[in-house]
């Protein structure tokens, strides 16, 4: 997951530049195209995540992870060679299928972790993402000085090498005795969600997850375009900012989660993470100077307490043979949200930075994200009060 995230991080600072090169349009329009690229990725992830989760329950985690890495390598190569914008959509189509395997990593963690340590170990997956975003964007920002396509070639090489590492080193975590047969009704996006209706806890928590994911999507969808347009940042400066964010997230996932969650509990950790995330997004929305983005970032990263705590709460509701199905269903819920969120957020940014807007407000998407997290806190309080034993 660390190496995979490095490859992903490398391409983020240069994607707007590549879109503007292919379209000849400004940053506001490039952001709208970027939102639709995220839409394609999220749609394929939503469609494929339950099937891939169920396949990992049937055939094991290892082959699913290796196959997804190889497909990501193909995506990066297509994007690097893309002569038109349409080829970027082809690449996003493939990467959405490959990205649907990410929940398999969480299922792998659940396989090898006792229930009382799952929150901390889910945090390690987040730490891998954080470290990847320390290294990847910094490399991408530097490589972007030599062209918008070079980082995609480098990411393709990293993905293929990572697949080879998985093939020769990664061990299977799911024993044959814990596997179950593949059933089509479990492998479609709606079926995977409907299969969890008999867990009363999930009814309220699904709303929390939707609002959290909607807010979360503001960063990958808007950050690069926002900072380039408002503060005139270069790809290197964007890369450095993401590097700092990754370092802070790594600290939260690897250290703060392990210190805070056992002391205040998973429920309070969710509340604390949501509050910090809402404050951080609001700070982003109204920042007037580039340096202030870093100050608000220090608050926003504590949102990382919420995810592992929610994952631990929900993973206790299912048995060991259904962890892959649970993670796949949650990924489908996140994927469905991300089908909707990127076009909305990118068009908010595009509209409020265009001449048609009644006011010029580039931070509109971050403002919306802050409101979503405030609503998520209220939804979590409702879910906590109405929770029944599973």
């Amino acid at each position: 997951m660390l190496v995979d995230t490095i490859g992903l991080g490398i391409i983020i600072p240069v994607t707007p530049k590549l879109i503007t090169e292919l379209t000849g349009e400004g940053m506001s329009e490039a952001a709208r195209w970027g939102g639709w690229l995220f839409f394609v990725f999220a749609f394929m992830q939503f469609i494929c995540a339950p099937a891939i989760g169920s396949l990992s329950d049937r055939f094991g985690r290892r082959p699913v992870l290796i196959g997804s890495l190889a497909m990501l390598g193909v995506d990066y190569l297509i994007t690097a060679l893309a002569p038109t914008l349409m080829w970027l959509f082809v690449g996003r189509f493939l990467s959405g299928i490959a990205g649907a395997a990410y929940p398999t990593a969480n299922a792998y963690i659940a396989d090898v972790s006792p229930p009382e340590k799952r929150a901390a170990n889910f945090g390690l997956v987040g730490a891998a993402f954080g470290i990847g975003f320390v290294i990847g964007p910094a490399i991408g920002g530097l490589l972007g000085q030599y062209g918008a396509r070079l980082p995609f070639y480098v990411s393709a090489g990293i993905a293929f090498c990572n697949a080879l590492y998985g093939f020769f080193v990664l061990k299977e975590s799911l024993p044959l005795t814990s596997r179950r047969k593949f059933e089509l009704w479990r492998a479609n996006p709606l079926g995977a969600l409907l299969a969890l209706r008999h867990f009363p806890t999930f009814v309220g928590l699904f709303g929390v997850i939707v609002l959290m994911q909607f807010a979360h999507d503001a960063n990958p969808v808007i950050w690069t375009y926002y900072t380039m347009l408002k503060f005139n940042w270069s790809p290197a400066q964007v890369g450095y900012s993401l590097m700092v964010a990754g370092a802070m997230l790594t600290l939260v996932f690897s250290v703060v989660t392990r210190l805070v969650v056992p002391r205040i509990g998973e429920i309070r950790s969710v509340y604390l993470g949501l509050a910090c995330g809402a404050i951080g997004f609001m700070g982003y929305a109204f920042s007037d100077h580039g340096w202030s983005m870093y100050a608000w970032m220090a608050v926003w990263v504590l949102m990382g307490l919420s995810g592992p705590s929610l994952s631990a709460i929900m993973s206790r509701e299912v048995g060991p043979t259904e962890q892959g199905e649970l993670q796949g269903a949650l990924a489908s819920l996140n994927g469905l949200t991300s089908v909707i969120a990127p076009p909305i957020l990118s068009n908010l940014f595009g509209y409020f930075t265009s001449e048609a807007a009644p006011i010029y407000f580039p931070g509109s998407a971050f403002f919306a994200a802050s409101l979503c997290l405030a609503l998520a806190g209220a939804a979590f309080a409702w879910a906590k009060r109405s929770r029944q034993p599973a």
Side-chain angles (χ1 to χ4, degrees):
M1 296 306 293
L2 168 64
V3 178
D4 185 43
T5 309
I6 291 173
L8 175 63
I10 286 174
I11 69 172
I12 291 176
V14 296
T15 299
K17 186 177 179 181
L18 180 59
I19 293 174
T20 56
E21 285 182 5
L22 291 174
T23 62
E25 298 173 335
M27 196 59 67
S28 293
E29 287 302 315
R32 296 188 184 195
W33 283 117
W36 287 113
L37 287 169
F38 269 101
F39 167 84
V40 171
F41 171 85
F43 180 75
M44 293 310 301
Q45 191 174 58
F46 169 70
I47 294 297
C48 297
I52 291 179
S54 292
L55 285 172
S56 77
D57 283 339
R58 172 64 182 88
F59 298 105
R61 320 301 185 199
R62 182 174 177 271
V64 170
L65 290 171
I66 294 172
S68 72
L69 291 171
M71 189 172 291
L72 279 175
V74 174
D75 158 47
Y76 293 141
L77 274 182
I78 290 174
T79 305
L81 297 168
T84 64
L85 187 66
M86 185 57 64
W87 283 100
L88 298 189
F89 283 94
V90 174
R92 290 291 86 187
F93 178 90
L94 294 176
S95 65
I97 299 174
Y102 285 143
T104 303
N106 284 333
Y108 194 109
I109 294 296
D111 290 341
V112 299
S113 304
E116 67 274 11
K117 293 184 178 180
R118 281 178 185 163
N121 289 340
F122 282 136
L124 284 178
V125 177
F129 273 81
I131 296 173
F133 275 107
V134 170
I135 301 171
I139 296 174
L142 293 173
L143 293 176
Q145 300 178 68
Y146 302 99
R149 297 176 185 268
L150 178 59
F152 289 93
Y153 286 112
V154 174
S155 293
I158 288 174
F160 289 130
C161 289
N162 203 16
L164 290 175
Y165 171 84
F167 183 80
F168 289 108
V169 177
L170 186 69
K171 296 180 180 179
E172 180 56 62
S173 66
L174 187 67
L176 292 175
T177 54
S178 295
R179 299 184 188 185
R180 59 173 173 80
K181 68 177 183 177
F182 181 85
E183 296 175 303
L184 189 59
W185 71 272
R186 295 175 183 262
N188 69 80
L190 297 179
L193 295 177
L194 294 175
L196 298 175
R197 285 185 303 175
H198 59 283
F199 296 103
T201 303
F202 294 157
V203 175
L205 294 184
F206 277 176
V208 179
I209 290 171
V210 167
L211 290 166
M212 283 181 61
Q213 184 63 34
F214 192 98
H216 168 270
D217 283 348
N219 267 348
V221 173
I222 297 300
W223 180 273
T224 305
Y225 302 93
Y226 177 75
T227 54
M228 285 183 168
L229 179 66
K230 188 169 185 177
F231 307 119
N232 199 30
W233 282 4
S234 66
Q237 288 174 301
V238 172
Y240 296 146
S241 70
L242 294 173
M243 179 183 71
V244 173
M248 291 182 179
L249 282 170
T250 300
L251 183 64
V252 169
F253 284 126
S254 61
V255 178
V256 178
T257 299
R258 290 174 176 265
L259 293 176
V260 172
V261 176
R263 284 169 173 77
I264 69 174
E266 292 160 353
I267 292 175
R268 289 190 180 94
S269 295
V270 172
Y271 282 125
L272 178 60
L274 293 175
C276 290
I279 294 169
F281 275 128
M282 193 65 73
Y284 291 160
F286 291 98
S287 289
D288 290 326
H289 304 283
W291 62 263
S292 64
M293 297 294 284
Y294 289 93
W296 291 114
M297 188 186 295
V299 179
W300 173 83
V301 292
L302 292 175
M303 181 182 170
L305 292 170
S306 297
S309 298
L310 273 174
S311 294
I313 290 170
M314 299 186 77
S315 69
R316 285 199 298 267
E317 301 291 341
V318 300
T321 63
E322 297 173 314
Q323 290 294 336
E325 181 183 6
L326 169 64
Q327 299 301 332
L330 294 179
S332 289
L333 187 62
N334 286 333
L336 179 60
T337 306
S338 292
V339 169
I340 302 168
I344 293 175
L345 294 168
S346 61
N347 277 282
L348 267 177
F349 174 81
Y351 176 71
F352 281 100
T353 55
S354 70
E355 295 179 356
I359 58 171
Y360 181 78
F361 186 29
S364 55
F366 289 133
F367 183 81
S370 180
L371 295 181
C372 283
L373 291 182
L375 289 173
F380 185 70
W382 175 83
K384 178 176 173 290
R385 287 195 302 268
S386 60
R387 184 182 180 189
Q388 303 174 25

